[in-house]
């Protein structure tokens, strides 16, 4: 059970019949202590995406023909990484933090940079300090574009006075509410406004040879600003200091710990677990690697052992589709992720069909990871229908073997019975992927 | 500002026993009980992201308006691309021409300067409170509790209500079960395999009811919607996702075996920048959706009230980027053959600095719960005790005269 839950609960599901880790704790710890092994070849930087976007705009190219290939290459490469990763815990952490700092295609024309955002701002910081990730996110063109900060202007700055422009508080508000301290910090409208003023001038220079982040001093609101009682100087360093302050605020640590435990343990985060992770963040000034180690320790909390407490999480559509496709995976040569019917493309299509289209969260708070949000009748019907369609393309393997491999001890006798009586490989696999136990990942 | 310390939740896909289908930024959920064919119908449309009520229903007669948001204003009524006049003081957004026709026919009632009972400027908290109908986030929505109070049907409620979309709003979640409809998505298992899947999940508290209701809805919607395509939109425009759902809602509500209550949602309203351009699309979608629903309802439109509401309004002054930030009071709409429309309801608070809420927002003069209560009492005929259950907490007097008697 232990081995299986490490790979399903903290990872993305077992890939085919890959060997299970001998010692799950060691296996999980190693992923937080070794660097990200993902290799993304042939993908450019966010500057390259912005050049494509700039050229489309200046040459009035309306069919997205320059940005589209950039985006498609990102989708293919990053979906492939989910399917083949041998550091699935690290991979789950990366997607968790992307969702925490959500950027979505729904706003801000982010298509050209959203893939690079994951690789440049999120992945390198998965085991760094939270303040490092926050700063990387807030300076990244994708976030500045998504939450409208590129045009936010200090009303008393030279640009503001000349052009009669002013603040846009979108990024500042969501950074306070969603990314860092959360409403528990008791901030006021004045704090939001002040923080928006702090962030004026944080924009994207589209005209540079390599477009990217720029602090535009003449659009920055002059003077000191006060947020939550702390005063920050004028200038770019004021923004850096404010983000450092917010990212290391005790309330931020509690907020992050609650979200992490909610994702890695249970929809109802046990207070003792939250306290454990919050303490790890607090003691290390927000070291996300330490937080990841603290999550691993939760699996062996004495309380949990003494009462035999078990927890699971209902799979989101992304969890579900990745786990199903990893379960169906076979060793051997893989088609290029860019090929039309590659597993990577199938996965991206599945996310749309199941209601969680890639990088398209409706709002800045990202996708839910709670059972209540993904278990409606239409959700379950969509899963059964997708399972039926994908199973049609499976021409080898015994469904029962696949079921044992992917579910381990969680596989129930009733499901075994149903698969044994299924009239076809397609029906057997559809039953496996529609079973109640496949809708969940065992966490602790 | 934020008085409660609830966890932030994703707002657009909260699901309970109910379900729904999402298309782009829109989704729809339905509930109700089959009964006689003269039952009133109620539709609630949630505009997620905070509609700028002053852009939807612009007080062009207010002398303070121009100084506050000159660059956001369309021309006055009668000019090319101008506001659509609503009686000399207010003008409707230029894209809402269908809704203006309904206004002229006495079937549309804008309600101005309404706000929820909460004062949060967080989308996520405010939507939770608006849909809970309470000063805190509840596990059920006020519309689900209203459905619970409807007269019980003769055929049993299980699977009789229906929801459409991958996300059922909190508004329609709760103890009363609603089933779901999802547009055809390609090849599907046959009935036998579906039955096996349902049996495999039967005892599961989460997936069991979901599959049961999903299968019921599959049968129901296949009957009601078989072979029909959405109607062509006026002017040959492609119907948007919202219009498709509004059409489906209308047709299902028109069926006498169908649901009595529906909820739809639509995004695209969070206009922090370049508001003037960005609002035209969502406004047009809303207008086309209301028209599609009216056409699909046919004669049932006469027994229908549609409440269009949003979580809060936006700042009265334009911000620094041609948009508006999160505010307080906004506009709501009632539409339908049963609405006593043709006037702008509510009390206009004025736009002078001292009249604004916290010197930035339109001041609220009506409670959104009072508007909803007025509809529930006079249209769905809910009793005072049922209303207390629908909107727990401090009592609010229902608005009078919203529907025809």
């Amino acid at each position: 059970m232990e081995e299986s839950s490490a790979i399903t609960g903290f990872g993305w599901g077992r890939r085919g019949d890959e060997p299970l880790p001998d010692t799950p704790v060691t296996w999980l710890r190693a992923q937080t202590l070794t660097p990200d092994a993902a290799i993304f070849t042939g993908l450019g930087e966010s500057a390259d995406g912005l050049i494509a976007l700039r050229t489309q705009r200046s040459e009035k190219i309306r069919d997205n023909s320059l940005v589209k290939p950039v985006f498609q290459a990102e989708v293919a490469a990053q979906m492939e990484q989910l399917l083949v990763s041998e550091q699935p815990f690290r991979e789950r952490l990366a997607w968790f933090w992307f969702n925490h700092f959500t950027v979505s295609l729904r706003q801000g024309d982010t298509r050209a940079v959203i893939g690079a955002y994951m690789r440049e701002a999120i992945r390198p910081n998965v085991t760094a300090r939270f303040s490092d990730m926050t700063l990387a996110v807030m300076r990244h063109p994708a976030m500045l574009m998504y939450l409208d900060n590129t045009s936010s202007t200090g009303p008393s700055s030279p640009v503001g006075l000349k052009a009669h422009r002013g603040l846009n508080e979108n990024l500042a508000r969501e950074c306070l509410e969603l990314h860092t301290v959360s409403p528990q910090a008791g901030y006021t409208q004045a704090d939001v406004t002040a923080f928006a003023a702090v962030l004026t001038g944080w924009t994207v220079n589209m005209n540079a040879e390599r477009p990217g982040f720029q602090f535009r001093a003449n659009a920055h609101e002059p003077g000191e600003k006060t947020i939550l009682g702390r005063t920050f100087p004028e200038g770019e360093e004021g923004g850096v200091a404010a983000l450092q302050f917010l990212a290391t605020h005790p309330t931020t640590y509690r907020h992050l710990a609650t979200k992490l435990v909610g994702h890695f343990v249970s929809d109802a985060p046990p207070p003792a677990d939250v306290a454990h992770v919050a303490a790890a963040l607090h003691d290390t000034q927000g070291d996300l690697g330490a937080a990841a180690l603290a999550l691993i320790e939760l699996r062996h909390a004495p309380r949990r052992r003494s009462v035999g407490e078990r927890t699971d999480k209902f799979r989101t559509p992304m969890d579900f589709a990745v786990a199903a496709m990893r379960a169906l995976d076979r060793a051997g040569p893989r088609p290029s992720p860019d090929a039309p019917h590659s597993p990577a493309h199938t996965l991206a299509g599945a996310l749309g069909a199941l209601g969680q289209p890639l990088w398209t969260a409706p709002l800045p708070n990202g996708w839910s990871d709670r059972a209540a949000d993904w278990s409606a009748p239409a959700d379950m019907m969509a899963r059964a229908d997708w399972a039926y369609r994908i199973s049609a393309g499976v021409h080898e393997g015994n469904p029962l073997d696949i079921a044992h491999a992917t579910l381990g001890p969680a596989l129930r006798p009733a499901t075994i019975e149903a698969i044994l009586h299924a009239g076809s490989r397609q029906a057997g696999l559809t039953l496996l992927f529609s079973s109640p136990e496949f809708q969940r990942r065992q966490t602790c | 500002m934020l008085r409660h310390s609830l966890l932030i939740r994703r707002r657009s896909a909260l699901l309970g026993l109910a379900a729904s289908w999402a298309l782009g930024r829109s989704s729809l959920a339905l509930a109700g009980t089959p009964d006689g064919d003269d039952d009133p119908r109620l539709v609630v449309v949630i505009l997620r992201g905070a509609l700028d009520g002053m852009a939807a229903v612009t007080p062009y007669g207010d002398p303070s308006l121009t100084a506050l948001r000159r660059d956001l204003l369309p021309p006055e009524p009668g000019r090319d691309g101008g506001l659509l006049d609503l009686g000399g003081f207010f003008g409707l957004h230029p894209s809402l021409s269908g809704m203006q026709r309904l206004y002229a026919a006495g079937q549309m009632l804008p309600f101005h300067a309404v706000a929820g009972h909460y004062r949060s400027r967080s989308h996520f908290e405010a939507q939770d409170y608006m849909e809970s109908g309470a000063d805190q986030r509840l596990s059920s929505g006020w519309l689900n509790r209203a459905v619970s109070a409807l007269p019980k049907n003769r055929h049993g409620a299980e699977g009789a209500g229906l929801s459409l979309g991958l996300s059922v709003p909190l508004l329609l979640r709760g103890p009363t079960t609603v089933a779901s409809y999802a547009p055809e998505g390609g090849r599907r298992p046959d009935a036998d395999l579906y039955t096996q899947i349902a049996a495999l999940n039967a005892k599961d508290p989460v997936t069991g009811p979901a599959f049961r209701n999903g299968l019921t809805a599959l049968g129901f919607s296949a009957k009601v919607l078989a072979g029909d395509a959405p109607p062509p939109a006026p002017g040959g425009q492609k119907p948007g996702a919202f219009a498709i759902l509004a059409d489906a809602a209308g047709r299902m509500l028109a069926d006498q075996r169908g649901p009595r209550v529906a909820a739809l949602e639509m995004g695209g309203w969070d206009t922090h920048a370049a508001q003037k351009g960005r609002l035209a699309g969502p406004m047009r979608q809303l207008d086309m959706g209301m028209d599609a629903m009216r056409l699909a309802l046919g004669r049932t439109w006469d027994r229908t009230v549609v409440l269009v509401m949003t979580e809060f309004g936006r700042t009265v002054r334009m911000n620094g980027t041609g948009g508006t930030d999160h505010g307080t009071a906004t506009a709501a709409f009632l539409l339908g053959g049963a609405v006593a429309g043709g006037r702008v309801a509510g009390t206009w608070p004025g736009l002078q600095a001292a009249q604004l809420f916290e010197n930035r927002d339109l001041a609220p003069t009506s409670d959104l719960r009072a508007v909803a209560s007025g509809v529930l009492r006079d249209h769905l005929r809910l009793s005072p005790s049922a209303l207390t259950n629908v909107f727990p907490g401090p009592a609010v007097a229902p608005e009078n005269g919203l529907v025809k008697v």
Side-chain angles (χ1 to χ4, degrees):
Chain A
M1 190 56 126
E2 169 89 30
E3 296 77 5
S4 186
S5 77
I7 213 163
T8 64
F10 277 44
W12 286 97
R14 190 175 180 193
R15 186 177 169 210
D17 53 1
E18 69 180 336
L20 293 169
D22 292 333
T23 43
V25 172
T26 311
W27 179 74
L28 290 171
R29 285 174 62 97
Q31 295 180 48
T32 71
L33 301 172
T34 51
D36 188 352
I39 299 167
F40 298 103
T41 50
L43 301 180
E45 299 172 353
S46 52
D48 299 299
L50 291 172
I51 288 170
L53 181 61
R54 177 174 72 193
T55 311
Q56 278 191 182
R57 286 175 179 169
S58 66
E59 297 181 7
K60 304 218 178 336
I61 299 170
R62 302 215 187 275
D63 61 358
N64 228 12
S65 57
L66 300 183
V67 167
K68 201 172 169 187
V70 173
F71 177 72
Q72 287 176 333
E74 293 282 1
V75 171
Q78 300 202 33
M79 292 296 94
E80 178 74 358
Q81 178 60 27
L82 271 167
L83 294 174
V84 303
S85 173
E86 294 181 356
Q87 295 174 307
F89 179 40
R90 177 176 274 278
E91 193 68 23
R92 179 168 284 284
L93 287 165
W95 287 91
F96 171 87
W97 289 114
F98 181 97
N99 195 56
H100 178 77
F101 286 110
T102 288
V103 167
S104 168
L105 298 172
R106 293 199 183 209
Q107 193 169 301
D109 216 353
T110 57
R111 187 168 298 263
V113 287
I114 197 163
Y117 170 71
M118 174 64 150
R119 293 181 295 109
E120 294 169 353
I122 303 295
R123 295 193 78 104
N125 293 305
V126 160
T127 49
R129 287 191 201 287
F130 181 68
S131 53
D132 297 335
M133 187 184 283
T134 304
L135 186 61
V137 161
M138 299 293 281
R139 295 167 74 100
H140 199 278
M143 183 58 87
L144 294 167
M145 291 156 73
Y146 174 53
L147 290 180
D148 298 320
N149 208 68
T150 51
S151 53
S152 184
T153 305
S156 305
S157 69
V159 172
L161 290 171
K162 188 158 175 247
H164 303 289
R165 290 172 52 191
L167 300 179
N168 184 316
E169 61 185 40
N170 203 9
L171 178 61
R173 180 182 301 279
E174 304 304 13
C175 183
L176 285 168
E177 178 176 344
L178 303 175
H179 302 157
T180 61
V181 291
S182 84
Q184 300 221 9
Y187 54 81
T188 64
Q189 178 60 43
D191 292 314
V192 175
T193 307
F195 188 31
V198 165
L199 293 177
T200 49
W202 288 48
T203 187
V204 178
N205 181 356
M206 288 296 283
N207 299 319
E209 187 185 349
R210 299 290 294 163
F213 174 77
Q214 178 192 34
F215 177 73
R216 205 176 159 205
N218 63 357
H220 181 69
E221 179 70 1
E224 295 180 336
K225 296 99 184 167
T226 302
I227 305 165
L228 288 170
R230 186 74 67 99
T231 301
F232 299 98
E234 174 183 329
E236 182 180 0
E237 64 273 23
V240 174
L243 289 171
Q244 178 72 24
F245 166 67
L246 293 169
T248 56
H249 198 284
T251 314
T252 299
Y253 294 148
R254 273 202 304 280
H255 175 52
L256 299 179
T258 306
K259 265 184 94 165
L260 281 164
V261 174
H263 184 82
F264 282 93
V265 178
S266 160
D267 284 1
D273 291 355
V274 173
H276 181 70
V277 176
L281 285 165
H282 196 272
D283 293 347
T284 60
Q285 288 80 51
D287 185 324
L288 298 182
L293 290 172
L295 288 169
I296 298 167
E297 286 157 10
L298 293 180
R299 296 163 52 80
H300 296 276
R303 167 179 56 87
R304 191 154 275 130
R305 288 208 144 158
S306 66
V307 299
E309 178 182 309
R310 302 209 49 77
T311 49
D312 60 31
K313 285 279 294 182
F314 200 83
R315 279 177 163 149
T316 64
M318 185 169 177
D319 291 335
F320 170 82
V322 175
M325 294 200 59
R326 284 178 71 107
L328 292 174
D329 201 15
R330 286 288 162 277
R334 297 177 66 79
S336 158
D338 297 313
H341 300 291
S342 69
H345 277 144
T346 303
L347 176 57
L351 300 184
L354 298 172
Q356 196 182 13
L358 179 63
W359 294 330
T360 313
L363 288 169
N365 54 345
W367 297 109
S368 164
D369 59 11
R370 299 161 61 89
D373 297 331
W374 296 114
S375 55
D379 287 312
M380 300 317 301
M381 297 298 284
R383 287 186 190 197
D385 293 355
W386 179 79
Y388 183 74
R389 291 200 299 277
I390 186 141
S391 301
V394 180
H395 303 297
E396 57 184 324
N398 178 333
L400 197 55
D401 293 344
I402 295 170
H404 278 296
T406 184
L407 285 169
L411 181 62
R412 299 176 315 146
T415 304
I416 295 174
E417 195 66 16
I419 293 172
L420 276 174
H421 288 94
S424 65
R425 178 180 281 117
Q426 182 181 19
L429 291 172
T430 305
L431 286 163
L432 163 61
F433 297 136
S434 304
S435 68
E437 58 267 45
F438 195 79
Q439 311 314 312
R440 286 144 170 122
R441 53 187 176 94
Q442 307 298 324
T443 51
C444 289
Chain B
M1 171 196 60
L2 300 162
R3 293 161 301 157
H4 297 273
S5 52
L6 297 174
L7 288 176
I8 306 307
R9 293 176 176 84
R10 183 180 61 126
R11 279 299 327 121
S12 73
L14 290 168
L15 308 164
L17 287 170
S20 50
W21 189 260
L23 290 167
R25 292 185 182 188
S26 308
S27 66
L28 155 69
L30 302 151
T33 54
D35 207 322
D37 199 22
D38 50 3
D39 293 342
R41 307 296 203 272
L42 175 64
V43 180
V44 180
V45 178
I46 302 173
L47 304 182
R48 290 200 192 280
L51 164 74
D52 183 14
M54 288 178 54
V57 182
T58 304
Y60 73 88
D62 191 307
S64 306
L65 178 69
T66 311
L68 291 166
R69 44 166 65 196
R70 180 188 315 272
D71 294 342
L72 293 180
L73 297 173
E76 294 209 342
R79 313 257 298 271
D80 197 27
L83 292 164
L84 308 172
D85 194 32
L86 299 177
F89 184 85
F90 293 105
L92 209 53
H93 188 279
S95 296
L96 299 177
S97 54
M99 285 169 63
Q100 193 207 22
R101 283 194 294 278
L102 291 174
Y103 178 90
Q107 299 185 347
M108 203 275 276
L109 181 68
F111 212 113
H112 224 316
V114 291
H117 43 296
Y118 44 78
R119 289 292 168 267
S120 169
R121 291 194 187 97
S122 155
H123 291 303
F124 317 112
E125 286 189 339
Q127 292 176 15
D128 280 350
Y129 302 162
M130 171 176 72
E131 294 171 64
S132 296
D135 289 329
Q136 54 185 310
R137 188 193 149 92
L138 306 177
S139 60
S140 66
W142 64 259
L143 192 57
N144 187 286
R145 299 194 296 274
V147 171
S148 308
L150 291 175
K152 292 288 170 270
N153 72 91
R154 294 184 293 259
H155 317 288
E158 181 81 6
L162 187 71
S163 73
L164 213 76
L166 279 182
S167 70
V168 163
L170 175 59
L171 179 70
L172 197 44
R173 289 200 203 181
T176 295
T177 309
V178 294
S180 76
Y181 163 73
E184 198 72 40
R187 290 164 297 153
R188 301 187 118 153
D190 58 23
D192 184 46
L193 185 52
Y194 271 140
T195 306
Q196 291 180 54
I197 293 170
L200 196 52
N201 285 275
K203 288 183 186 154
D204 190 279
V206 177
T207 61
F211 273 116
R212 217 162 28 243
N213 288 323
L215 289 174
T216 309
L218 198 64
F220 173 78
S221 58
K223 258 185 265 171
V224 177
L225 297 177
D228 291 334
Q237 291 184 60
K238 215 173 125 191
F242 180 71
I244 290 171
L245 285 175
D247 166 70
R251 280 189 284 157
M252 290 196 231
L253 287 164
D255 190 290
Q256 72 165 27
R257 301 155 301 166
R260 296 295 180 262
V261 174
L264 293 86
E265 45 188 318
M266 183 186 166
W269 304 101
D270 195 16
T271 47
H272 284 280
Q275 168 169 312
K276 208 172 164 186
R278 283 190 191 175
L279 262 184
M283 290 282 191
R284 200 157 44 237
Q285 285 284 312
L286 176 64
D287 198 61
M288 286 168 62
M290 291 298 98
D291 208 46
M293 186 182 292
R294 178 181 61 82
L295 290 170
L297 278 163
R299 289 176 51 205
T300 310
W301 174 254
D302 296 340
R303 299 193 298 279
T304 298
V305 171
V306 182
L307 166 63
V308 181
M309 64 182 194
T310 189
E311 68 263 30
F312 45 67
R314 310 191 67 85
T315 46
V316 159
R317 298 181 187 89
M318 190 175 82
N319 70 9
T321 56
T324 50
D325 292 318
H326 301 183
T328 305
T330 183
F333 296 94
L334 294 173
L335 307 95
V339 170
R343 64 194 170 93
V344 179
T347 305
W348 183 245
L351 294 175
Q352 291 173 32
Q355 295 171 322
L356 301 181
F357 179 71
E358 296 181 352
N359 188 30
R360 73 178 249 150
D361 304 340
L362 187 64
T365 53
S366 300
D367 188 327
L368 185 58
R369 290 176 306 163
V371 179
S373 301
V375 173
L376 294 178
R377 184 193 62 187
D378 297 339
H379 185 57
L380 292 190
R381 306 272 168 209
L382 259 53
S383 67
S385 65
L387 281 178
T388 309
N389 181 44
V390 171
F391 292 112
V396 54
E399 288 283 343
N400 294 315
L402 302 177
V403 301
K404 289 174 186 154
V405 283

